Amino acid sequence: MTTPETTDQRPGFAQVGSAYYPVLVAVFTALVIISNVTATKGVAFGPILTDGGFIVFPLTYVIGDVLSEVYGFKAARRAIILGFSMNVLAALAFWVTIYLPAADFYENQAALENVVHAYTQLIVAGLAGFLVGQTINAWVVVAIKERTKEKHLWARLVGSTFAGQLGDTLVFCSIAAGAIGITSFRDFAVYTALGWIYKTAVEVVLLPITYRVIAVIKRREPTYEPAV
């Protein structure tokens, strides 16, 4: 019986030594850090509650789908661990910055501390959700590909998004709600449901672009061998 770990050595996945893989990982990592910083602000559109991370975070799953589909589970997991590590480094750098002596003209120490405190809680929430969601996402893509080979890409992308975003959103919102000021169960339920629906919808809308990116990389990636 094969597993997602062993499929990376079989046809259907490319090696990570080309120029495309590090570029995708770099974009993936940057999007994760940006989304965690922007998520420190709670956002309300009337009764709809969310956070600033909604701007770019769904794109991390688009990149995750590309990595999983083209390079396999192990390669996608490597990107997830790197994104995790860079988020930890960012949090440490922010905390060191707080305790550095402020210049006489610097008047934003309190504001910086508030953002970093929220960011730290969101880092914990984001990393927990990130690890759960991205791992589920990558595993589902590869597991479905084992059965469908090169066919039904839409099923891999939609199925992985549905499952991965559900896991990510439940874990993230459970930890992050307090950091952005959500205290009631109703607001928490709205925040969680909206986050899952929105992020899933964005990925579905972006499917044509994801299809195109995957097709281009498969065609140009010299080590990619289609699964048959």
Side-chain angles (χ1 to χ4, degrees):
M1 180 177 178
T2 59
T3 67
E5 285 287 342
T6 60
T7 59
D8 295 356
Q9 312 305 318
R10 302 176 61 193
F13 301 103
Q15 297 177 12
V16 300
S18 73
Y20 297 101
Y21 179 76
V23 171
L24 289 168
V25 172
V27 174
F28 179 80
T29 302
L31 288 173
V32 172
I33 294 175
I34 292 168
S35 65
N36 275 326
V37 174
T38 56
T40 59
K41 179 176 179 177
V43 177
F45 297 98
I48 299 174
L49 299 176
T50 184
D51 58 62
F54 83 92
I55 301 170
V56 298
F57 184 73
L59 298 179
T60 65
Y61 276 81
V62 173
I63 302 297
D65 285 341
V66 175
L67 289 168
S68 302
E69 172 68 19
V70 178
Y71 297 98
F73 184 80
K74 288 172 64 177
R77 186 180 62 183
R78 186 181 305 175
I80 293 168
I81 293 173
L82 180 60
F84 177 96
S85 301
M86 292 301 99
N87 263 294
V88 172
L89 178 60
L92 290 174
F94 290 149
W95 276 103
V96 170
T97 303
I98 283 180
Y99 289 106
L100 292 176
D104 293 338
F105 57 82
Y106 185 71
E107 300 177 351
N108 298 315
Q109 181 68 20
L112 177 63
E113 290 183 11
N114 287 336
V115 170
V116 172
H117 280 292
Y119 180 80
T120 302
Q121 186 170 342
L122 288 168
I123 278 287
V124 174
L127 293 180
F130 178 69
L131 287 173
V132 171
Q134 288 287 353
T135 300
I136 292 173
N137 186 77
W139 191 90
V140 171
V141 168
V142 175
I144 296 177
K145 188 171 185 178
E146 273 288 280
R147 293 162 176 79
T148 62
K149 307 306 179 184
E150 297 296 321
K151 300 177 181 178
H152 308 306
L153 176 58
W154 65 269
R156 297 195 287 279
L157 299 182
V158 173
S160 64
T161 293
F162 186 90
Q165 289 288 12
L166 178 60
D168 185 307
T169 305
L170 284 174
V171 173
F172 175 82
C173 292
S174 297
I175 302 172
I180 63 173
I182 292 176
T183 57
S184 72
F185 178 77
R186 177 189 175 280
D187 287 346
F188 170 75
V190 171
Y191 178 48
T192 303
L194 177 66
W196 179 51
I197 292 170
Y198 168 77
K199 289 182 285 188
T200 302
V202 168
E203 288 201 60
V204 171
V205 169
L206 292 177
L207 271 181
I209 297 175
T210 307
Y211 258 75
R212 180 61 179 165
V213 171
I214 288 174
V216 168
I217 294 178
K218 283 182 176 180
R219 186 169 63 251
R220 297 185 179 181
E221 176 60 74
T223 63
Y224 185 79
E225 183 179 350
V228 293

